[in-house]
C-alpha cells in the first residue's frame, strides 16, 4: 500500500466551477500534510499546508483534513485556466516527521 | 531572497559513469532533501540532510549518496549510472528545525539523461 494515494486523473472542470482533489494516507500517526502544484516542466510549488483536523482557507484554496478517515482534500473555487496543473498531495510520516512523502499527483484541467 | 539553486540544469552521462549534483538552499534553511522524479514513479524521496547529518533515507541503492556542508549546501552523487537513473532530480530546502515539517521549497531541478 502506498503511503499517500491520489487519483491520477485527469480531472476536467469547467472554468468558474469548484475543483475537488482528494488524497488518502496510510500512516495514522502522520501530523503534517501539504498540497503542491506542479506546472508542466516546472518544479513543485507549495500552495497549502494543514496540520489540524478541519478546514484551512487561503484565497480560492481550501484544504481539508480528516485524521479519523485519513483523508486530505483540496478545493479550488472559481477555477481558472491557470489552475491547470498537476496537484501533489504530501504528508510526513509519524516516524520521520521531517521527511515528506508525495502522492503520484492528480492532473487537473480547467476547460474554458 | 534567493531561492533554492541547483546546478547543473541538464546533464548527459554514459552508463557506468558517476555524477555529482549540487544544491544551495535558501539562506537560513538547514534542512535539504533530495527527490527523484520520473513519469512512472512520481516523486521519490532519496534522503534528507540537516546540519551536515543524514537524518532520513529513502529506498534507493547505495549508489545514491549525498552530503551536506557546514554552509548547508548539499551534493548528491550517483555512481555506476544505469539507464533507469534518467530522471529529474529535485532538491528542496526547509526552515524546519525540530520534528514538525514546514514544507519544502524546491529548486528547478537537474535533468539527468543516461545514455
Amino acid at each position: 500500500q502506498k503511503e499517500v494515494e491520489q487519483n491520477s486523473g485527469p480531472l476536467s472542470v469547467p472554468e468558474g466551477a469548484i475543483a475537488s482533489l482528494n488524497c488518502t494516507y496510510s500512516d495514522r500517526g502522520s501530523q503534517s500534510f501539504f498540497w503542491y502544484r506542479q506546472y508542466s516542466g516546472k518544479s513543485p510549488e507549495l500552495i497549502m499546508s494543514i496540520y489540524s483536523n478541519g478546514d484551512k482557507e487561503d484565497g480560492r484554496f481550501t484544504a481539508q483534513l480528516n485524521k479519523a478517515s485519513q483523508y486530505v482534500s483540496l478545493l479550488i473555487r472559481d477555477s481558472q485556466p491557470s489552475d491547470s496543473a498537476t496537484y501533489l498531495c504530501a504528508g510526513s510520516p509519524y516516524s520521520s516527521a521531517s521527511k515528506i512523502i508525495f502522492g503520484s499527483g492528480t492532473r487537473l484541467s480547467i476547460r474554458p | 531572497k534567493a531561492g533554492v539553486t541547483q546546478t547543473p540544469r541538464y546533464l548527459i552521462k554514459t552508463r557506468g559513469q558517476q555524477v555529482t549534483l549540487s544544491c544551495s538552499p535558501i539562506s537560513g534553511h538547514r534542512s535539504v532533501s533530495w527527490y527523484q522524479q520520473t513519469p512512472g514513479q512520481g516523486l521519490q524521496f532519496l534522503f534528507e540532510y540537516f546540519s551536515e547529518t543524514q537524518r532520513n533515507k529513502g529506498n534507493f541503492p547505495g549508489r545514491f549518496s549525498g552530503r551536506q556542508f557546514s554552509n548547508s549546501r548539499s551534493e548528491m552523487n550517483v555512481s555506476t549510472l544505469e539507464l533507469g537513473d534518467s530522471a529529474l532530480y529535485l532538491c528542496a530546502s526547509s526552515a524546519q528545525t525540530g520534528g514538525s515539517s514546514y514544507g519544502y521549497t524546491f529548486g528547478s531541478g537537474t535533468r539527468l539523461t543516461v545514455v
Side-chain angles (χ1 to χ4, degrees), chain B residues 36-75:
Chain B
Q36 181 195 68
Q37 188 172 35
T38 59
Q41 297 296 317
L43 266 169
Q44 300 289 307
F45 176 81
L46 280 155
F47 25 67
E48 184 226 355
Y49 285 87
F50 181 81
S51 292
E52 301 179 66
T53 300
Q54 187 181 86
R55 193 158 62 172
N56 287 293
K57 189 176 189 308
N59 297 321
F60 278 80
R63 300 185 296 107
F64 292 82
S65 62
R67 59 178 176 168
Q68 187 181 33
F69 302 96
S70 58
N71 61 358
S72 293
R73 191 178 70 85
S74 179
E75 287 182 348

Side-chain angles (χ1 to χ4, degrees), chain A residues 35-104:
Chain A
W35 282 99
Y36 283 80
R37 176 177 62 200
Q38 186 172 26
Y39 292 114
S40 181
K42 301 291 186 182
S43 55
E45 170 194 15
L46 178 65
I47 54 173
M48 291 286 286
S49 57
I50 187 166
Y51 306 98
S52 306
N53 271 331
D55 295 0
K56 179 181 178 183
E57 188 174 316
D58 184 0
R60 296 186 296 111
F61 298 96
T62 299
Q64 299 174 317
L65 174 60
N66 183 326
K67 290 187 177 180
S69 300
Q70 294 176 241
Y71 181 87
V72 190
S73 64
L74 179 70
L75 301 177
I76 306 175
R77 289 182 299 282
D78 187 24
S79 296
Q80 302 297 310
S82 60
D83 295 326
S84 297
T86 295
Y87 288 80
L88 301 161
C89 174
S92 294
Y94 175 76
S95 59
S96 306
S98 61
K99 172 180 169 180
I100 297 180
I101 302 298
F102 286 82
S104 56

